[in-house]
Amino acid sequence: YLLSFVGIILNKSLLSPGPHGDAVPLAVLALVQMLFTLVFAQLRQAWDRSFSIRPLRSARQIKHILLLGSLRFLVTVLGLISLSFVAASFTETIKASGPL
């Protein structure tokens, strides 16, 4: 919970305009988060060989993976949009009430 709260506070500070009126664009922040997710997954796979990813064998599997990835990206973007309009504590409360 602590790391989640720190992440939300960091995202809130990046999305809020600073003293000069500059803020990180929402799309850039979402893309950077998705990129780091991919990078850390690749590092994890390279570090621990027992963490293997099986190759996709069918169009159905590819369709499901694309759907799952799209939903993950949508959750990230919508979370950042809500964070730009409401307080970080409210976002943390909603996030904590969701299923794991």
Side-chain angles (χ1 to χ4, degrees):
Y1 290 112
L2 180 63
L3 288 176
S4 175
F5 184 71
V6 169
I8 286 176
I9 295 297
L10 181 61
N11 284 338
K12 181 70 174 176
S13 65
L14 289 172
L15 290 171
S16 299
H20 304 290
D22 52 346
V24 177
L26 183 83
V28 171
L29 189 57
L31 288 174
V32 167
Q33 288 184 1
M34 291 295 108
L35 178 67
F36 272 97
T37 300
L38 290 172
V39 167
F40 284 127
Q42 289 299 318
L43 288 174
R44 163 93 161 113
Q45 186 178 9
W47 180 63
D48 185 8
R49 293 292 179 191
S50 66
F51 181 74
S52 62
I53 298 174
R54 296 181 302 196
L56 299 176
R57 298 186 182 160
S58 69
R60 183 173 181 220
Q61 286 179 326
I62 292 172
K63 184 176 97 175
H64 286 136
I65 291 296
L66 286 174
L67 177 64
L68 203 65
S70 300
L71 288 175
R72 173 68 180 128
F73 183 75
L74 186 66
V75 164
T76 300
V77 169
L78 291 177
L80 291 172
I81 289 171
S82 72
L83 192 58
S84 63
F85 290 107
V86 297
S89 59
F90 179 74
T91 304
E92 180 67 22
T93 303
I94 298 300
K95 188 175 178 183
S97 67
L100 297 175

